[in-house]
Amino acid sequence: MQIVVNDEVHEVSAKTLAALIDELGYGEARIATAMDGSFVPVPYRARTVLREGARIEIVAPMQGG
Amino acid sequence: MTKSFYGTVLSSPLMLGTAQYPSPDILRDAVKAAQPGVVTVSLRRESAGERAGQAFWDLIQELGVPVLPNTAGCHTVKEAVTTAHMAREVFGTDWVKLEVIGELDTLQPDVFGLVEAARVLTEDGFKVFPYTTEDLVVAERLLAVGCEVLMPWGAPIGSGKGLNNVFGLRAMRAHFPDVPLVVDAGIGVPSHAAQALELGYDAVLINTAVAKAGEPAVMAEAFRFAVQAGTLARKADPMEERDMAVPSTPVVGKAMLA
């Protein structure tokens, strides 16, 4: 299945957002996720089912003003 | 009078941004020199191979200063609200510096979107620090939707122009005597920060002025002293301005030499 992660197209076998994060190799990184513009909290990742063309955002802490 | 920010009294009225420093080490030195009450932080996309986010998180943990996540770069209510939710999860705080940018040349807040985003986030339990203008009507609306802090700009973000509208900022202070007010954006040198505190503002938020100084850690220390000076000056109740001169040296007893 093809999905878009941070604007890059990925071919993945993961079926859920939690599985996707594992498959992409984020491991235990401190990240937050959104799918199709909506926030997906950590407890919801395992039950968030991916679909073809889903737009996933994965963000991490960053310097800010 | 020291005001609390959503029940928290800050250790310093200096809020320091963490962006644009030449290196993490220089950022660390600047934070140590500034001794800020809060540091601002943000979120950005990260690919799996990168570890920049983790490294920054580790640095923030090491510094031990409370964090205020922002929604910088957001132009819509939806973007800002979603970013705030992600920031709450990542940084473990319900504080958010809410930015909804309305105009690219000035990075002026979209105050209509700001009020709406503040309403949504406040209802969801966030403690919102809205980046706003000195407009009193907008300020009233922000308070009405649950904000307990206001952060009017001094000048456009990153411009270093200082307090562009002292009259407006003074009016805001007079109009909302009990609301914690922070001058956010536009401060270029420590005297601007001192001026904001002399006007009775409760804090200032600085980033570019320190990060883009030739010696960020030295400038950070200068800001530390400036906010102390401004706080003391406010406490000391500054003299009234006058239009005409008044001699400071007594004239009584002056020798007649003419």
Side-chain angles (χ1 to χ4, degrees):
Chain A
M1 169 166 59
Q2 277 199 342
I3 56 158
V4 181
V5 179
N6 292 349
D7 254 357
E8 286 182 5
V9 177
H10 289 254
E11 182 69 40
V12 298
S13 57
K15 300 281 186 288
T16 67
L17 185 53
L20 173 73
I21 287 163
D22 281 344
E23 184 175 333
L24 293 178
Y26 281 93
E28 299 300 309
R30 201 171 186 92
I31 53 168
T33 53
M35 185 163 84
D36 296 330
S38 296
F39 172 54
V40 182
V42 173
Y44 289 78
R45 287 179 191 162
R47 63 183 111 143
T48 298
V49 177
L50 301 177
R51 53 158 189 76
E52 185 76 25
R55 289 182 303 109
I56 308 296
E57 292 287 333
I58 301 179
V59 297
M62 176 78 180
Q63 295 85 347
Chain B
M1 183 187 70
T2 303
K3 294 194 186 71
S4 71
F5 295 82
Y6 292 101
T8 299
V9 175
L10 301 182
S11 62
S12 162
L14 183 57
M15 299 180 171
L16 186 66
T18 56
Q20 304 185 81
Y21 292 81
S23 72
D25 283 342
I26 293 174
L27 166 60
R28 179 188 289 108
D29 291 347
V31 172
K32 285 180 177 168
Q35 298 180 13
V38 156
V39 290
T40 56
V41 294
S42 195
L43 290 175
R44 283 296 176 269
R45 285 172 169 173
E46 183 156 275
S47 62
E50 293 177 273
R51 281 291 176 262
Q54 191 60 49
F56 178 64
W57 173 254
D58 291 344
L59 174 56
I60 290 298
Q61 295 292 101
E62 172 198 325
L63 292 169
V65 180
V67 297
L68 175 60
N70 70 25
T71 63
C74 292
H75 289 255
T76 66
V77 172
K78 184 173 178 6
E79 266 186 304
V81 168
T82 302
T83 301
H85 278 102
M86 293 199 285
R88 179 162 68 177
E89 186 178 81
V90 164
F91 291 108
T93 175
D94 50 14
W95 284 18
V96 64
K97 178 189 156 184
L98 181 61
E99 291 184 32
V100 183
I101 300 299
E103 204 280 319
L104 278 179
D105 283 333
T106 58
L107 298 180
Q108 180 165 346
D110 167 359
V111 294
F112 307 98
L114 181 69
V115 171
E116 176 58 11
R119 184 189 66 76
V120 171
L121 290 171
T122 301
E123 281 179 3
D124 205 14
F126 282 86
K127 296 178 170 66
V128 176
F129 293 64
Y131 167 59
T132 185
T133 68
E134 64 278 45
D135 188 304
L136 298 182
V137 180
V138 173
E140 291 278 14
R141 298 285 167 89
L142 288 167
L143 297 174
V145 299
C147 294
E148 295 179 16
V149 175
L150 297 171
M151 303 221 297
W153 62 350
I157 294 170
S159 69
K161 288 183 176 297
L163 310 187
N164 258 357
N165 182 359
V166 172
F167 169 80
L169 291 173
R170 204 188 293 274
M172 195 174 213
R173 179 69 288 172
H175 199 70
F176 303 107
D178 302 322
V179 176
L181 299 179
V182 183
V183 171
D184 177 12
I187 286 178
V189 287
S191 54
H192 297 155
Q195 186 186 14
L197 289 155
E198 287 162 10
L199 290 176
Y201 276 69
D202 301 287
V204 289
L205 202 164
I206 318 289
N207 192 158
T208 311
V210 171
K212 291 298 185 187
E215 295 285 348
V218 177
M219 189 59 84
E221 188 171 20
F223 270 103
R224 173 160 67 92
F225 290 128
V227 298
Q228 287 175 8
T231 303
L232 280 174
R234 176 68 177 182
K235 198 171 160 189
D237 188 15
M239 64 168 279
E240 295 288 328
E241 269 186 34
R242 299 178 179 124
D243 289 330
M244 304 301 282
V246 178
S248 49
T249 302
V251 290
V252 177
K254 179 184 170 296
M256 299 298 284
L257 303 172

